[in-house]
Amino acid sequence: MTLRGLRTVLGVLLADARAHRLQTLTTCVGIAVGVAVVVAIRTSSQSALSHFRDTVQTFTGVATHELHGPAPLPAARLAELLEAPGVTAAHPVIESHLVLDLGAEGARPVRLVGIDPFLSAPFLQLDDTAVEQASAAGLFERLMLEPGFVLMASSTLADAGFPDGGVLPARGPTGPVHVVAAGVDSSSLAAGQPPVALADLATAQELLGLGDRVTRFDLLVEGAPDAIPLQPGERLQKPASRGERAETMTEAFRLNLLCLGFLAVLVGAFLAFNMAQFAVVRRRTLLGRLRCLGADARTVLGAALLESACLGFVGSLLGLGLGWLLAREMVDDVARTVSTLYGYIETPAARLDVVTAALALGVGTIATVAACWAPARSAARTEPAVVAGRAHAPGGLVPPWVPGLLLAAGGLLLAPPSAVVLPALTVLVWLLAVATALPRLLGRVVGRVVHRPVLALAFGRLHRSLSRTGSAAGALAMPLAMTIAILVMVGSFRAEVMAWSRSIFGADVYVKPLYQELYADTARLSPELLDALGEAPEVLAVDRLRLAEQPRGETSFLVAGSPLEATRMRGSMRVLDGGDVPTLMAAMDRGEALVSEPLARRLDVGPGDVLRLDGRDGARDVPVAGVFQDFSWDRGYALVSEPRFLELYGDTGVRNAALLLAEGADAEAVARRLSARFGDAEFRSTETLRGEVLRAFNDTFAITYVLQTISTALALVGILTAVLCLHLERRAELGVLRALGARQKTVGELLVTEALVLLGVAGAVAVPAGLALAWVLVSVVNTRSFGWSFPMLVEAGPVAGLLGLALLAGLAAGCVPWWMVRRAPVADLLEDRR
Amino acid sequence: MTDAVVAACRDLRRVYGDGPTAVVALDGVDLELRRGEVVALTGPSGSGKSTLLHLLGAMDSPTSGSVVVAGRDLAGLDDEAASRFRNEHLGFVFQFFHLIPSLSVVENVALPARLGGATPAEANAKAAALVERVGLGGRGDRLPDALSGGQQQRVAVARALVNDPALVLADEPTGNLDHASGGEVMRLLLELAQERGIAALVATHDPQVRDFSHREVVLEDGRLATPPTS
């Protein structure tokens, strides 16, 4: 093999690829789609998380640690902190949001950061020019003295259309307020979204209704912070850890989607494999001529692999662009998830980073080369004699032990009980096993030949081309199995979420503070509102929900306190362990706790165990009475009675409330009436809330629908290429049949039968394989990554619909070569002229 | 056309393409083939041999002139009729045998009969007898790959005869065989043609085919270089 020879053969193959644009494009698109899914998932989640991290870290400045409490902390705590060993400086910080009312232009959130200008000086990293500008204009004095005064970046004010120095109406967690916004040229104030409004601590407290409380303290600590005395429920963390925590928490979510993304790459690679097989058959004479002219087998192999690398690279580049476009659509959903779970962020721009781009190009190109390895070897083994029509392009079966080995390897990957990535890999490995097992399976099926000329011929032709048809059936079974798995997994999950939403939303109307997502740390329902709701004529009972964050190692979980009136009256709770609802309610009344399934799995606790909770009076061991199913928070939470919560954490305020209405009351109408009466809270009926849950579910799994569509499309292309491949290889045979008197109809029957047999075998393997994959996704990946368990539900309708679609595709796939044969003169078919 | 004439071409012309790039493959060919007669069709490559076989085999239509085989003018046959005609009245033997590799010897021979509507039992019985006749008795269940080239071509000859055709068209039947095997195949074809009263037109470059033919016609640049009958 010489370099010049390699370049020459590669040039010939690429020219041939250019001449057959549709096939080349199909290969590239298959890879592109797989790569696009990976890029979209990675880019959207990275963008949202990096945005969250940037937002979190803006204004943490040089602080080494942050002190957070289960609720806003008293500002007086500062004095104790400054005296703590190792603390060289500390300052109180308020960080929350305000919603500016822009009239006809709607509402715009701003991030309100409240600081003490004197104490905060060592911490803040404001630009020098901004400080000079603010000092010269007397803005720092106004910051400290003028009620409602905030400093913002001039660029932000201009971009958002806020008048510099103007009075803006706004809404805080306690109701309407006014701010006066002045602009300075500051890049640090302009950083992050939503835009930052810097306020004096007292101003921020007033705007947010915090009294003398702050949301955290930033500390400069020398050495280890172990000696800092912490109050019960307080936690000390590094500034970056809030972002890291969100990343850890969303890791499982991202991993699931990424696994599906890599599955899409695998399916794309199988399509590339199919197309490469197709190309080998189509190029039989071309390859023979090259071999006749002196190209040795290694040169042909090298050139074929280089060609596949070129196609893979082009496909990956396409996928990069497509993925970026897809990410722009997806980033909004991911940002919403992060906002819901970890704190409000605005939708960031999707930013494609170098690592993602390199990963996409690498994965796409390598997957294509790997997929084309076997066809390239087949091309290299082409004998020069094929030019004279005296030899066929060689094929090859996968050694019989390979599928078994892959199955066993996949099984082993399931063995480690806590692994999340490995079971996902099992899915990939088992799919490969299915694909490699198919050639032999197909051989056994076609061995039982039915004695009818057309069927006998169809089975015989399939059997003869086993190396090709088997792998084609494998390539077809892959996307089918994957689609079935996704259909079943999402269907099971959806059914369970629907059932759960019926049980968890046992009340009729749900109440939360306005803009709660913005004021997660501070927003509370006022006692006056709760009293008024309790006295409303249509309201039977009010379920108050109180929440406290409980640090546990590097992460945390929530403790919720509620009277659970709805659960008591309507029995609405899905208990997994610990007895029936009345038993558990009685246990809660005795001070025991219930834990949600994700928390039970995370902490490995169940009925009979104790849960250590750090309350305001120190650590308390609370017995666990039962485990219940809940999809609200993937971190999981513990549920205690309201008196027990107040005893542990004191009155930290009511986050949400649920109203039980008198029998026959129209919840929607009541929600509307209450919304009109109480402007500071949002009222939603159970039906509305269920709709939102379903919408959130669909948003989260939107990418799986994309994957499902892709898989179906690839399956359809797969069957078409498989049948075309077979047709091209045995075209002369059809000529013989026609010469011997076979009618067009007979040839059509033969080709459609072949397509349907191929499809039947692929389907017969894809259905059980898909169900097995669904089981892995449902019972292993989801349980281990989310902590959610739900039974696998196989809905016959969607699976039958998919198989029906595949059947139609099979018929179409048989008709395409038939149409080609119909157009070709018998003499051309006989001499294999095309 | 007398009863003895199985196939006749009159002023046959076939032109591929049009305008300045048009290629005249056959130009005014007149030819008659009689029952039991084996005719060698020779001529250099590109002289029009295959075109003539395709026109006689109802696989192509002439630009002008007529083709009559077994008393039927092939002009105007639609695909359905042409297929049925080939099945009932014509047999084909190809250079590369073109047996269906997934079918056994008997199944290959029986295939035209089954395509014509015969039951498997009828077709297989007829095929088995023919397989015996071509000297491959006992090998009926084998796949074509298990046979030598000469044996495969004998299977192809048997297949060409299974529906008792009026005319067998053979395209270089010895082209892929050694001299001895080629001779055996031609001897068999000659015997069977005479035995069954079948006409055979054998396109060939192989000089020994002349020894097994009743006469030779030569095509040069699409025209017959010898008289249409001897």
Side-chain angles (χ1 to χ4, degrees):
Chain A
M1 181 174 73
T2 63
L3 192 60
R4 191 167 292 172
L6 189 67
R7 279 175 55 189
T8 307
V9 175
L10 178 63
V12 171
L13 294 186
L14 287 176
D16 182 72
R18 274 197 300 277
H20 295 87
R21 286 190 189 89
L22 189 63
Q23 288 159 34
T24 308
L25 191 68
T26 307
T27 304
C28 292
V29 167
I31 292 299
V33 167
V35 167
V37 174
V38 172
V39 169
I41 291 168
R42 219 182 120 84
T43 301
S44 57
S45 55
Q46 296 275 65
S47 301
L49 284 171
S50 120
H51 186 67
F52 179 74
R53 201 168 42 233
D54 291 348
T55 305
V56 162
Q57 286 175 2
T58 312
F59 283 95
T60 49
V62 296
T64 57
H65 291 81
E66 294 174 354
L67 181 75
H68 293 264
L73 297 156
R77 180 94 172 83
L78 179 68
E80 295 162 37
L81 290 172
L82 285 171
E83 286 171 12
V87 175
T88 56
H91 79 137
V93 180
I94 290 173
E95 198 173 323
S96 188
H97 294 83
L98 272 182
V99 182
L100 299 183
D101 183 1
L102 297 180
E105 290 178 37
R108 177 81 200 258
V110 292
R111 208 169 131 223
L112 182 67
V113 179
I115 44 116
D116 181 319
F118 297 110
L119 286 171
S120 302
F123 293 88
L124 284 182
Q125 291 180 318
L126 266 182
D127 327 55
D128 292 342
T129 49
V131 173
E132 284 168 22
Q133 197 184 346
S135 303
L139 295 180
F140 283 128
E141 285 80 2
R142 289 181 69 188
L143 190 74
M144 288 184 285
L145 300 173
E146 193 173 323
F149 187 83
V150 296
L151 271 181
M152 294 179 74
S154 300
S155 56
T156 306
L157 286 175
D159 290 347
F162 299 157
D164 192 350
V167 177
L168 290 166
R171 171 171 279 283
T174 55
V177 289
H178 283 87
V179 296
V180 180
V184 286
D185 296 330
S186 165
S187 58
S188 53
L189 283 177
Q193 283 293 336
V196 173
L198 191 66
D200 176 62
L201 198 68
T203 303
Q205 284 171 331
E206 193 181 320
L207 290 172
L208 296 171
L210 280 175
D212 64 347
R213 289 173 178 265
V214 297
T215 52
R216 69 166 196 266
F217 288 97
D218 284 0
L219 312 174
L220 268 174
V221 181
E222 276 182 3
D226 305 343
I228 299 172
L230 296 181
Q231 301 289 334
E234 286 181 350
R235 64 183 190 279
L236 204 57
Q237 64 185 37
K238 290 185 176 169
S241 68
R242 272 190 286 157
E244 285 165 8
R245 193 153 58 92
E247 278 188 54
T248 310
M249 293 299 184
T250 52
E251 194 181 0
F253 167 75
R254 287 187 297 154
L255 181 75
N256 262 278
L257 291 180
L258 262 183
C259 283
L260 293 175
F262 283 115
L263 269 179
V265 172
L266 195 69
V267 171
F270 260 77
L271 184 67
F273 166 79
N274 226 6
M275 296 309 294
Q277 289 271 52
F278 184 71
V280 171
V281 175
R282 183 176 50 71
R283 289 170 172 172
R284 194 161 45 109
T285 317
L286 174 70
L287 292 167
R289 281 178 199 148
L290 288 169
R291 298 278 281 117
C292 279
L293 294 172
D296 61 26
R298 287 176 60 200
T299 305
V300 174
L301 175 69
L305 288 176
L306 278 174
E307 184 204 14
S308 65
C310 291
L311 295 184
F313 188 77
V314 171
S316 304
L317 270 179
L318 276 175
L320 208 57
L322 195 65
W324 181 70
L325 290 175
L326 200 57
R328 286 173 47 163
E329 298 300 314
M330 281 175 64
V331 73
D332 189 42
D333 292 335
V334 181
R336 208 158 42 227
T337 305
V338 172
S339 292
T340 309
L341 296 175
Y342 310 108
Y344 178 78
I345 55 165
E346 288 201 335
T347 301
R351 277 181 302 196
L352 188 63
D353 62 32
V354 180
V355 177
T356 304
L359 180 81
L361 293 177
V363 165
T365 308
I366 291 169
T368 313
V369 173
C372 294
W373 171 256
R377 279 188 58 200
S378 175
R381 290 205 303 265
T382 304
E383 294 168 30
V386 297
V387 174
R390 289 171 196 194
H392 287 287
L397 289 175
V398 177
W401 47 266
V402 170
L405 185 73
L406 287 170
L407 274 178
L412 278 179
L413 291 174
L414 280 178
S418 59
V420 171
V421 181
L422 295 183
L425 284 177
T426 301
V427 177
L428 303 179
V429 175
W430 279 1
L431 268 176
L432 277 175
V434 169
T436 51
L438 263 171
R440 271 169 210 289
L441 196 74
L442 190 59
R444 299 212 170 164
V445 172
V446 298
R448 295 177 172 80
V449 173
V450 183
H451 291 287
R452 205 184 146 229
V454 169
L455 287 179
L457 273 173
F459 279 105
R461 276 160 54 93
L462 288 171
H463 182 63
R464 284 288 301 177
S465 308
L466 208 53
S467 60
R468 245 172 273 294
T469 51
S471 51
L476 180 60
M478 282 278 292
L480 273 180
M482 183 178 145
T483 309
I484 289 169
I486 294 173
L487 268 176
V488 172
M489 188 271 276
V490 176
S492 306
F493 204 170
R494 176 197 276 263
E496 197 63 10
V497 166
M498 290 305 291
W500 162 80
S501 72
R502 277 191 293 275
S503 73
I504 199 78
F505 302 132
D508 301 303
V509 172
Y510 288 82
V511 193
K512 66 170 190 170
L514 270 187
Y515 303 111
Q516 187 184 43
E517 62 280 11
L518 296 176
Y519 311 118
D521 288 339
T522 54
R524 302 287 184 271
L525 292 172
S526 68
E528 295 79 22
L529 171 68
L530 291 166
D531 289 345
L533 289 174
E535 287 162 13
E538 55 271 78
V539 176
L540 278 184
V542 179
D543 255 345
R544 296 167 296 277
L545 182 74
R546 299 165 189 275
L547 288 176
E549 191 157 353
Q550 189 72 51
R552 183 58 50 99
E554 288 295 305
T555 177
S556 65
F557 63 91
L558 292 170
V559 178
S562 172
L564 293 180
E565 296 291 353
T567 306
R568 289 170 198 274
M569 290 170 71
R570 297 179 179 170
S572 51
M573 176 177 274
R574 289 164 73 89
V575 181
L576 297 176
D577 196 4
D580 57 10
V581 173
T583 309
L584 294 185
M585 292 300 107
M588 281 180 71
D589 290 340
R590 291 194 301 272
E592 295 181 22
L594 307 184
V595 290
S596 72
E597 189 191 11
L599 186 64
R601 288 185 186 278
R602 262 181 65 203
L603 302 183
D604 193 21
V605 292
D609 296 328
V610 290
L611 190 64
R612 175 153 293 193
L613 299 176
D614 296 320
R616 60 179 176 176
D617 298 325
R620 300 282 292 272
D621 285 337
V622 179
V624 175
V627 180
F628 62 99
Q629 190 185 39
D630 192 282
F631 297 108
S632 310
W633 290 296
D634 61 350
R635 282 186 275 176
Y637 69 104
L639 191 57
V640 294
S641 67
E642 193 173 41
R644 183 63 151 160
F645 184 92
L646 292 171
E647 178 195 327
L648 283 164
Y649 303 105
D651 188 0
T652 57
V654 175
R655 299 276 187 125
N656 301 312
L659 309 181
L660 269 87
L661 304 184
E663 200 163 335
D666 179 351
E668 202 60 56
V670 171
R672 273 199 304 274
R673 264 202 307 279
L674 293 174
S675 290
R677 187 173 156 199
F678 304 104
D680 291 342
E682 272 183 55
F683 294 85
R684 284 173 301 173
S685 71
T686 306
E687 277 312 304
T688 306
L689 209 55
R690 278 196 197 123
E692 286 176 14
V693 166
L694 197 61
R695 201 160 41 248
F697 179 89
N698 288 340
D699 285 348
T700 306
F701 284 93
I703 190 68
T704 61
Y705 300 128
V706 174
L707 280 174
Q708 198 176 307
T709 310
I710 291 165
S711 304
T712 309
L714 291 183
L716 304 189
V717 175
I719 187 166
L720 188 62
T721 53
V723 173
L724 279 176
C725 196
L726 184 70
H727 163 61
L728 280 185
E729 195 175 38
R730 301 269 178 243
R731 202 164 180 262
E733 263 181 37
L734 296 180
V736 175
L737 287 175
R738 296 281 286 122
L740 296 179
R743 291 173 299 164
Q744 297 276 25
K745 190 181 152 208
T746 311
V747 172
E749 278 176 26
L750 173 69
L751 291 168
V752 170
T753 305
E754 281 175 358
L756 292 181
V757 169
L758 203 61
L759 185 73
V761 174
V765 174
V767 171
L771 293 179
L773 291 175
W775 176 81
V776 171
L777 288 173
V778 167
S779 304
V780 183
V781 175
N782 272 290
T783 309
R784 290 184 188 174
S785 59
F786 290 105
W788 294 333
S789 68
F790 48 89
M792 194 169 104
L793 175 74
V794 183
E795 289 176 306
V799 176
L802 174 72
L803 294 178
L805 196 62
L807 189 71
L808 284 177
L811 286 171
C815 288
V816 171
W818 185 20
W819 177 71
M820 290 163 72
V821 170
R822 282 177 75 95
R823 290 172 56 212
V826 179
D828 284 3
L829 288 173
L830 267 175
E831 291 174 18
D832 201 6
R833 280 197 294 251
R834 46 186 182 243
Chain B
M1 197 167 78
T2 66
D3 285 348
V5 176
V6 170
C9 307
R10 296 278 177 258
D11 196 19
L12 200 58
R13 186 177 161 81
R14 179 67 170 100
V15 182
Y16 293 108
D18 50 20
T21 57
V23 175
V24 180
L26 289 180
D27 191 8
V29 172
D30 289 304
L31 178 67
E32 282 188 356
L33 301 166
R34 298 171 188 280
R35 287 168 63 90
E37 181 186 41
V38 175
V39 177
L41 176 62
T42 61
S45 296
S47 59
K49 298 191 296 291
S50 293
T51 303
L52 182 57
L53 288 186
H54 292 155
L55 290 170
L56 282 164
M59 291 191 278
D60 196 4
S61 302
T63 308
S64 63
S66 70
V67 181
V68 177
V69 178
R72 179 98 182 247
D73 189 341
L74 301 189
L77 286 185
D78 62 12
D79 184 79
E80 180 86 15
S83 298
R84 196 163 51 244
F85 184 81
R86 280 195 300 270
N87 182 258
E88 291 171 0
H89 300 290
L90 298 174
F92 292 89
V93 180
F94 305 100
Q95 180 180 359
F96 297 113
F97 328 134
H98 282 324
L99 300 175
I100 307 292
S102 56
L103 301 183
S104 70
V105 166
V106 167
E107 285 169 339
N108 262 291
V109 175
L111 187 60
R114 293 194 62 187
L115 287 170
T119 64
E122 287 169 358
N124 285 351
K126 210 168 174 185
L130 267 169
V131 169
E132 187 75 34
R133 173 66 187 86
V134 299
L136 293 172
R139 292 186 176 86
D141 291 336
R142 295 197 184 174
L143 289 176
D145 285 353
L147 303 179
S148 69
Q151 289 171 329
Q152 288 193 50
Q153 198 60 303
R154 278 193 269 161
V155 176
V157 169
R159 181 177 67 181
L161 302 178
V162 75
N163 277 350
D164 299 320
L167 173 65
V168 169
L169 298 165
D171 192 358
E172 300 280 3
T174 61
N176 205 29
L177 302 174
D178 58 50
H179 187 77
S181 301
E184 280 176 28
V185 166
M186 278 312 300
R187 184 177 297 112
L188 183 67
L189 189 60
L190 181 62
E191 282 173 17
L192 287 167
Q194 289 180 326
E195 195 177 298
R196 296 171 174 241
I198 296 166
L201 180 63
V202 184
T204 186
H205 284 103
D206 183 357
Q208 73 164 329
V209 170
R210 285 188 209 118
D211 302 338
F212 299 97
S213 307
H214 295 103
R215 63 186 168 105
E216 177 186 7
V217 290
V218 182
L219 267 176
E220 281 175 6
D221 296 329
R223 291 171 176 275
L224 281 183
T226 51
T229 52
S230 58

